[in-house]
């Protein structure tokens, strides 16, 4: 990218970031204010400020070690920042107890990881039902409906070892969707997949976005990254640039 283009993008990104902050608070799902995370000597995140609107799709990119997973863990209520505030629906999650964080995560957030974390001795539908168990009550019909959504109804009784990588990832997505989360966090969801399965996962994310979900996706893949409304690039724990892809696509 030319320097001028980069500067234009940065300007536009700052303008949309300001606009996002000005949006009425009911439009905002997530706000990070001065978020830092320090591991002994490593500044994994430094002074991150970001406002995410409801139904926005954000991609998080940056080289290995730039803080992407740390950011997702903090937003996903799995870790707390060293300093700063994280407002989810206006509630500062950095001030909540572990117990209440578990509830928030269960009710509002769907997590999709690169590693599938499926239980190997349970079938696809049973793996989805484990998530229901933590949320409410296992309900096979509902779990089957979730599998149908990701095109896996006919694989419901298969064990993970009998499924391809792409199919296992789709079981994970079905599992993440069981509570109808308003925020979907995906850390390298296509990292282990071939092109065809990557397209399938992108298609599922696109549909969830169309249905109203807010999405944050960490990815190394420019094609996946470009699906977003805005792309946040991290570098050594800081935001290096925010690209307003939506505005660029409209121009
Ligand atoms: P990314 O996901 O972008 O590869 P991470 O968020 O995993 O980056 O890591 C950011 C930085 O924080 C790295 O330098 C990493 O080594 C460090 N880090 C991450 N987790 C820990 C931890 N639990 N203890 C110490 N350092 C960590
Ligand atoms: Mg990572």
């Amino acid at each position: 990218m030319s320097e001028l283009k980069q500067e234009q993008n940065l300007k536009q990104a700052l303008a949309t970031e300001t606009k996002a902050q000005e949006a009425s608070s009911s439009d905002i799902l997530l706000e990070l204010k001065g978020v830092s995370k320090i591991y002994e000597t490593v500044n994994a995140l430094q002074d991150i400020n970001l406002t995410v609107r409801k139904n926005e799709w954000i991609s998080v990119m940056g080289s290995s070690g730039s803080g992407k997973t740390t950011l997702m863990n903090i937003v996903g209520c799995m870790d707390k920042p060293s300093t700063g505030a994280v407002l989810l629906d206006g509630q500062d999650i950095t001030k909540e107890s572990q117990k209440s964080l578990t509830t928030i995560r269960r009710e509002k957030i769907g997590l999709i990881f690169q590693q599938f974390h499926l239980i190997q001795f349970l079938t696809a539908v049973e793996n989805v039902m484990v998530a229901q168990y933590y949320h409410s009550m296992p309900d096979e019909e509902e779990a089957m409906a979730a599998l149908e959504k990701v095109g896996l109804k006919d694989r419901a009784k298969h064990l993970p070892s009998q499924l391809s990588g792409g199919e296992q990832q789709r079981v994970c997505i079905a599992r993440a969707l069981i509570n109808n989360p308003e925020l979907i966090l995906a850390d390298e969801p296509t990292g282990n997949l071939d092109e065809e399965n990557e397209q399938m996962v992108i298609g599922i994310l696109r549909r969830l976005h169309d249905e109203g979900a807010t999405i944050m996706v960490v990815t190394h893949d420019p094609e996946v990254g470009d699906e977003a409304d805005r792309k946040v690039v991290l570098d050594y724990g800081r935001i290096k640039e925010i690209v307003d892809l939506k505005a660029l696509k409209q121009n």
Side-chain angles (χ1 to χ4, degrees):
M1 207 184 318
S2 75
E3 228 166 84
L4 180 64
K5 186 80 189 147
Q6 201 167 0
E7 197 185 311
Q8 281 170 345
N9 285 350
L10 197 55
K11 256 191 207 153
Q12 200 158 32
L14 286 173
T16 35
E17 183 57 24
T18 313
K19 237 190 289 164
Q21 280 163 1
E22 283 167 358
S24 79
S25 60
S26 64
D27 290 337
I28 293 172
L29 180 65
L30 177 71
E31 243 180 311
L32 289 97
K33 297 179 172 178
V35 167
S36 298
K37 178 76 182 181
I38 300 162
Y39 294 109
E40 286 154 31
T41 55
V42 179
N43 287 325
L45 290 176
Q46 292 187 67
D47 194 27
I48 299 291
N49 294 286
L50 181 68
T51 308
V52 178
R53 284 185 299 274
K54 287 183 179 157
N55 195 214
E56 204 176 4
W57 183 337
I58 301 279
S59 59
V60 181
M61 302 191 75
S63 50
S64 185
S66 59
K68 305 180 297 294
T69 295
T70 305
L71 178 68
M72 296 297 262
N73 287 346
I74 288 172
V75 172
C77 299
M78 290 172 289
D79 199 359
K80 287 191 178 192
S82 308
T83 54
V86 180
L87 278 70
L88 183 61
D89 270 332
Q91 177 184 20
D92 187 350
I93 57 176
T94 63
K95 295 197 160 60
E96 297 298 325
S97 67
Q98 278 310 323
K99 194 169 165 221
S100 119
L101 287 178
T102 307
T103 308
I104 294 168
R105 192 165 58 229
R106 201 185 292 160
E107 288 175 354
K108 297 191 174 176
I109 299 172
L111 298 165
I112 302 165
F113 305 96
Q114 178 175 4
Q115 271 79 33
F116 305 136
H117 301 301
L118 291 173
I119 300 170
Q120 291 302 316
F121 56 86
L122 296 182
T123 63
V125 69
E126 287 166 345
N127 264 287
V128 175
M129 287 165 74
V130 171
Q132 286 172 321
Y133 172 77
Y134 284 107
H135 179 55
S136 51
M137 286 282 283
D139 175 344
E140 186 161 354
E141 233 169 81
E142 196 183 77
M144 286 300 290
L147 284 177
E148 195 168 8
K149 266 194 179 175
V150 298
L152 278 183
K153 202 179 164 198
D154 56 339
R155 296 280 193 279
K157 304 289 178 191
H158 286 59
L159 295 169
S161 60
Q162 298 168 318
L163 299 172
S164 73
E167 289 167 341
Q168 290 186 52
Q169 184 59 302
R170 281 186 280 152
V171 176
C172 296
I173 296 176
R175 189 181 54 184
L177 301 182
I178 206 70
N179 54 347
N180 289 314
E182 58 179 327
L183 177 60
I184 294 168
L185 302 177
D187 195 347
E188 298 280 2
T190 61
N192 284 330
L193 304 183
D194 58 25
E195 174 67 21
E196 188 188 339
N197 282 295
E198 174 181 311
Q199 287 305 325
M200 215 171 273
V201 169
I202 291 176
I204 294 169
L205 290 175
R206 222 183 260 149
R207 202 177 61 223
L208 292 167
H209 182 240
D210 289 343
E211 288 170 3
T214 308
I215 299 180
M216 271 179 96
V217 183
V218 166
T219 185
H220 274 109
D221 188 322
E223 203 186 328
V224 179
D226 283 347
E227 288 285 326
D229 297 322
R230 283 193 294 161
K231 176 167 76 178
V232 175
V233 184
L234 294 181
D235 189 34
Y236 291 104
R238 291 183 183 275
I239 292 182
K240 182 176 158 197
E241 63 170 341
I242 301 179
V243 184
D244 190 337
L245 296 166
K246 200 175 181 178
L248 290 175
K249 283 174 206 167
Q250 279 160 1
N251 288 340

